[in-house]
Amino acid sequence: MIQQEWQHEAQHRKLEEDCFWMTGDKIYNVTLLMDLRALNLLHEEYPLSEQYKVRNSGDETRPYKVTLEVRSPLGVERFVRGLSEHIAVEGTITLKKE
């Protein structure tokens, strides 16, 4: 066990987590087009994603559209790559204007 006291407290700050449990200083918007399998897996594996409204995308193969706010592109990129046949990113991941 380390016997050292807490140091540099002023330099520490709590970072918010996104629905993929990633943290960061910035907020990115990413819009996903998904089929039912991907949508169900998103909500099952990442329950915090249920707070975002699901809309109709107008696409027959990926009929569900959701725009997520993420703190790091890494979590959503991992999810999308794992289900690449079932998900498409609409446009690019963009930095949210505050």
Side-chain angles (χ1 to χ4, degrees):
M1 184 167 179
I2 298 175
Q3 300 298 321
Q4 190 172 13
E5 293 291 320
W6 181 269
Q7 296 180 10
H8 310 289
E9 184 174 355
Q11 295 174 345
H12 292 266
R13 57 197 156 88
K14 181 174 170 61
L15 296 175
E16 298 293 321
E17 291 181 341
D18 64 23
C19 64
F20 295 97
W21 299 300
M22 302 299 286
T23 61
D25 289 336
K26 299 175 182 168
I27 300 174
Y28 300 88
N29 285 331
V30 58
T31 300
L32 303 178
L33 306 177
M34 299 176 281
D35 64 12
L36 185 58
R37 173 180 282 180
L39 180 64
N40 285 338
L41 286 171
L42 177 69
H43 289 164
E44 182 178 321
E45 293 179 20
Y46 305 101
L48 293 176
S49 67
E50 291 183 22
Q51 67 183 306
Y52 297 100
K53 183 178 179 180
V54 177
R55 300 178 312 256
N56 185 335
S57 72
D59 180 343
E60 288 183 21
T61 58
R62 296 179 181 101
Y64 304 101
K65 180 178 185 174
V66 62
T67 299
L68 306 170
E69 289 184 353
V70 297
R71 296 289 178 158
S72 168
L74 297 175
V76 68
E77 285 175 359
R78 183 185 150 274
F79 180 72
V80 169
R81 286 177 192 245
L83 291 165
S84 60
E85 296 176 17
H86 305 275
I87 301 175
V89 177
E90 182 179 75
T92 59
I93 298 174
T94 58
L95 187 60
K96 180 180 178 181
K97 306 261 193 239
E98 295 188 43

